[in-house]
Structure formats: C-alpha cells, structure tokens
Amino acid sequence: MQLQVLPVTPFRQNCSLLWDDATRHALVVDPGGDADFLMDVIRKQNLTVDAILITHGHLDHAGGVAPLCRALAEAQGKAPEVIGPDKQDDFLLSSIVDQARHFGLPGLENATVDRYTQDGDRLDLLGRSFLVRHIPGHTPGHVVFVDEDAGFIFAGDTLFRGTIGRTDFPYGNSSLLISNLKEKLLPLGDNMVIMPGHGGATSLGEERKNNPFLRAD
C-alpha cells in the first residue's frame, strides 16, 4: 500500500490518497478542495478511485467531494462511492457553500454521500478492513477510520500533535471529544499512527504521554 498526503485549500488540510500498488485501485480521504490538483495526482499515478471517505462535514474536508466525483466519473467511467461521517453532520455537508462564502473561498460545493457511517462499522476497501469510530465533539457526526492491521488512523480534526480539535463552535463539545478519544482511540495501542487533518503525523503513545488533554497526571 502507498499513502500520499496532499494538503489542500488555504487551510492546508491533509487530503490522503491511499492505493494498492498492484491493482492501482485507490481511495481518497477528505478531499476538501483543489479537485483539479487532486485529479492531476491521481492521473499521474494511474489510479482508479473506488471510494471517497469523509471524516466530517467542514468545508476544508468535504468541499472538493462533488467536483472530484464529477472528474473521476468522466475519467474512469464510474464515480467513486462517497462514504460519509455519521449522519449528524448532514447539516454541515449541505451548507459548505455557505461556509465557504463566510471565508471568501470559491470553488467549494455542498457534498452528498452514498452512505453514512456509524460507530463500529467495518469498511472493506482495497482488500483492507477499516474500523469506523464515531468521535463527536469537533462536530456532532465526526468519525475516524482505523486500519488496525496497518496501525494507522485517519483522524480528521479530532486529535493533533499536542492538542485536540476545536470545540468552540455552537455544536462543539470539548468534554465529549476528550472522553471519546480516551475511550475509543487510546485503547487501540501506543504504536497506532495518527494522520490528523492538519499538520504532521503523530502516534497515540506520543499523545498519551505529552498531550495535555489526554495525559493522565
């Protein structure tokens, strides 16, 4: 398996492109924007994208879903399946244009999904199994995607190096976010690598020791 992290939009959101070297089939996680740029990378790698995964409904994570799906449908003859967060984030996915207008960002569109996810779901993609964990607090429907065999988590905006996701939105909840991180992610083990929605990768062990929101003092 190969992973390429592609920062997109002025928010420098980590869109992830994961593919199987042998089959050239791929999935995209959180295409927040810059769909033309993402398509250039996909074409250069000669990939067929089977699915797009969305961790949550904020514009910088889902604003590029619709234009990327159109471009992929034209390029490969079939649109990828769009697998969304928990349905509680539908109000955000359907208001991306309004979110983008607030920030003065053109080219982002509302997103629709083919299926929502729930805590404990299993996604069989690229010959791998991804566990879905619902981690609300940054947004009500935020989920993360866990590849337990590879020891890797696409964490969206739940957990970062040294901190956690913002919870100062009207729908945010810091205590809920922290409790879910402790109850659902930390038990996965210290060696689990975290790919956050922004910034560099970290590990659960590193955050257990040094993150002030997760440290057991």
Side-chain angles (χ1 to χ4, degrees):
M1 299 298 288
Q2 298 290 327
L3 172 66
Q4 188 171 358
V5 178
L6 304 162
V8 294
T9 80
F11 294 101
R12 307 305 290 163
Q13 192 279 125
N14 290 330
C15 174
S16 293
L17 178 63
L18 182 72
W19 71 91
D20 185 305
D21 250 345
T23 66
R24 312 308 291 176
H25 281 256
L27 62 83
V28 179
V29 183
D30 283 354
D34 300 333
D36 290 343
F37 161 65
L38 296 177
M39 277 302 302
D40 285 344
V41 176
I42 290 165
R43 288 192 185 99
K44 286 175 183 176
Q45 295 290 353
N46 191 30
L47 301 176
T48 297
V49 176
D50 296 334
I52 292 175
L53 308 184
I54 309 172
T55 61
H56 65 291
H58 281 159
L59 76 166
D60 55 326
H61 291 255
V65 169
L68 183 60
C69 279
R70 289 195 299 271
L72 286 168
E74 182 176 351
Q76 61 191 36
K78 181 182 178 181
E81 181 181 21
V82 180
I83 303 174
D86 182 280
K87 63 183 178 181
Q88 293 177 74
D89 265 16
D90 180 69
F91 77 102
L92 290 170
L93 293 171
S94 62
S95 65
I96 289 173
V97 170
D98 292 335
Q99 297 175 47
R101 188 180 299 115
H102 176 76
F103 288 101
L105 295 177
L108 304 186
E109 300 180 24
N110 295 344
T112 58
V113 304
D114 297 306
R115 57 170 160 149
Y116 289 103
T117 55
Q118 299 180 60
D119 190 67
D121 283 354
R122 289 267 178 192
L123 307 176
D124 295 319
L125 300 165
L126 307 183
R128 312 193 68 81
S129 178
F130 294 88
L131 172 66
V132 178
R133 282 299 186 204
H134 179 212
I135 310 288
H138 178 67
T139 68
H142 200 305
V143 299
V144 304
F145 303 102
V146 184
D147 185 332
E148 294 165 292
D149 290 336
F152 201 85
I153 303 174
F154 293 111
D157 285 355
T158 59
L159 182 61
F160 304 94
R161 182 181 294 276
T163 190
I164 61 172
R166 287 180 57 184
T167 59
D168 57 339
F169 306 107
Y171 45 78
N173 188 318
S174 60
S175 61
L176 187 61
L177 176 55
I178 293 167
S179 65
N180 273 278
L181 289 171
K182 290 180 175 179
E183 294 169 11
K184 294 179 181 177
L185 292 196
L186 289 185
L188 295 172
D190 287 351
N191 292 329
M192 192 70 70
V193 174
I194 299 290
M195 175 49 65
H198 305 265
T202 183
S203 71
L204 285 179
E206 181 73 16
E207 299 315 304
R208 187 196 304 273
K209 282 194 308 180
N210 299 314
N211 192 313
F213 295 96
L214 302 182
R215 203 169 50 212
D217 295 325

